């Protein structure tokens, strides 16, 4: 795999005469922690759908964990990829117990109890829920949880199969201030852990970049505006171009803020 977790070359996704992604070149190396920023409709979720092997490019080449998308059985690849986002929560049936949802992730199911789980599975599922601060919700039905609780459960679920690549689409969206800060702290802790998978987090807000993240990808109109180490990417010029308005960008330690000027 050569230390390269993800390699996109000229990836274009075309739907209804429009390019949702337009010739995207992007690599993620082992140990890197990426944030993807861009306005609504920029193509961030489409990019994660390619990176998680759920969507094949119309043209170009996508390599995930050393396997060429199109030349590999995606059902072998998917347990190696953790994914949490709105498309997952939207497909969960009512009355799915939280712990079942987490356990079933290792098999690519969304909560249907299809496998015989062993004691270690239960232990790992409960430990992950506890680690993300929702250990006491294991017996609840997923649809009865608050938005913030759901986000944490879905991250625990995404980590269940011990993936090599973790993709989170807007993990902090819909959280209150305390919930956001708590989640960022936990993501920062994960980012700092040597055993953590390569991380890619999508967000609309520079305030939601967790501490310890190393790289940034700025996306607009299906194309990359800038990609590279956070320090180089997170300039007022680059972010203004990405979001289409003049911005002032500030850094305070490992956190960022941006506002219109
Ligand atoms: N199947 C589809 N057919 C046509 N257009 C699509 C399809 N899926 C997505 N799009 C369009 O592609 C563009 C990019 O969508 P995408 O969901 O990737 O954006 P995003 O950056 O994740 O936006 P947001 O920040 O709002 O989540 C949008 O304009 C969207 O309407
Ligand atoms: Mg999106």
């Amino acid at each position: 795999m050569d230390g390269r977790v993800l390699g996109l070359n000229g990836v274009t996704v075309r739907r209804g005469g429009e390019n949702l992604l337009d010739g995207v070149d992007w690599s993620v190396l082992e140990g890197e922690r990426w944030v993807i920023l861009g306005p609504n409709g920029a193509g961030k979720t489409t990019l994660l759908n390619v990176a998680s092997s759920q969507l094949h490019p119309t043209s170009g080449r996508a390599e995930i964990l050393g396997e060429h998308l199109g030349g590999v059985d995606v059902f072998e690849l998917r347990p190696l990829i953790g994914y949490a986002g709105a498309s997952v929560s939207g497909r969960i049936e009512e009355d799915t117990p939280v712990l079942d949802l987490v356990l079933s992730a290792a098999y690519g199911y969304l909560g249907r109890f299809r496998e015989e789980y062993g004691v270690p599975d239960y232990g790992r599922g409960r430990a992950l829920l506890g680690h993300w601060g929702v250990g006491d919700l294991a017996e609840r039905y997923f649809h009865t949880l608050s938005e913030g609780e759901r986000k944490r459960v879905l991250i625990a679920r995404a980590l269940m199969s011990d993936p090599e690549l973790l993709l989170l689409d807007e993990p902090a969206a819909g959280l209150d201030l305390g919930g956001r800060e708590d989640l960022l702290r936990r993501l920062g802790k994960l980012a700092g852990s040597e055993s953590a998978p390569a991380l890619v987090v999508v967000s609309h807000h520079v305030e939601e970049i967790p501490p310890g993240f190393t790289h940034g990808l700025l996306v607009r109109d299906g194309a990359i505006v800038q990609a590279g180490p956070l320090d180089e990417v997170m300039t007022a010029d680059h972010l203004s171009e990405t979001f289409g308005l003049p911005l002032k960008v500030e850094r305070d330690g490992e956190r960022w803020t941006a506002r219109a000027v």
Side-chain angles (χ1 to χ4, degrees):
M1 196 168 77
D2 243 16
R4 201 163 74 147
V5 177
L6 191 65
L8 306 187
N9 264 302
V11 164
T12 294
V13 172
R14 197 166 174 81
R15 292 284 183 280
E18 302 266 341
N19 283 350
L20 315 191
L21 293 178
D22 195 358
V24 168
D25 297 318
W26 179 39
S27 290
V28 173
L29 304 183
E30 247 171 67
E32 291 181 345
R33 285 78 175 90
W34 283 79
V35 62
I36 302 179
L37 292 165
N40 288 129
K44 304 180 297 298
T45 295
T46 306
L47 193 54
L48 277 204
N49 287 342
V50 174
S52 62
S53 81
Q54 298 177 85
L55 181 67
H56 285 223
T58 311
S59 62
R61 191 179 162 89
E63 233 176 63
I64 308 170
L65 300 168
E67 304 287 352
H68 171 222
L69 192 53
V72 61
D73 179 357
V74 290
F75 292 98
E76 283 176 25
L77 199 51
R78 283 188 190 152
L80 304 175
I81 305 167
Y83 180 93
S87 67
V88 177
S89 34
R91 281 184 289 138
I92 297 165
E93 287 180 19
E94 281 204 3
D95 294 346
T96 301
V98 164
L99 187 59
D100 292 9
L101 183 67
V102 172
L103 291 182
S104 65
Y107 302 93
Y109 300 119
L110 278 168
R112 299 260 189 75
F113 231 55
R114 299 270 295 265
E115 311 288 330
E116 287 293 318
Y117 300 102
V119 173
D121 292 330
Y122 282 95
R124 177 170 172 77
R126 285 189 188 279
L128 279 166
L129 286 168
H131 189 78
W132 289 88
V134 284
D136 51 346
L137 302 178
E139 270 71 43
R140 288 267 298 275
Y141 292 128
F142 182 77
H143 73 272
T144 67
L145 304 184
S146 80
E147 193 55 34
E149 291 163 347
R150 287 177 187 214
K151 297 274 186 191
R152 291 159 183 236
V153 166
L154 290 180
I155 295 173
R157 173 182 184 275
L159 284 165
M160 182 64 198
S161 64
D162 196 16
E164 292 176 35
L165 173 63
L166 179 66
L167 308 166
L168 305 177
D169 197 354
E170 297 189 38
L175 301 196
D176 69 23
L177 186 54
R180 180 190 81 180
E181 291 301 303
D182 182 80
L183 184 75
L184 292 180
R185 193 174 50 77
R186 290 173 200 270
L187 286 174
K189 217 171 143 193
L190 183 66
S193 147
E194 268 192 31
S195 59
L199 301 175
V200 179
V201 169
V202 167
S203 174
H204 294 120
H205 301 291
V206 304
E207 289 78 2
E208 293 175 356
I209 301 175
F213 270 54
T214 60
H215 288 73
L217 182 76
L218 305 183
V219 188
R220 179 183 172 89
D221 293 336
I224 291 178
V225 179
Q226 281 293 323
L230 269 184
D231 273 339
E232 292 168 24
V233 165
M234 296 285 293
T235 66
D237 280 354
H238 293 152
L239 283 162
S240 300
E241 184 187 347
T242 304
F243 286 95
L245 78 168
L247 293 170
K248 182 178 180 188
V249 178
E250 284 174 322
R251 177 182 183 162
D252 177 8
E254 290 206 272
R255 297 292 299 276
W256 303 81
T257 53
R259 60 189 162 87
V261 289

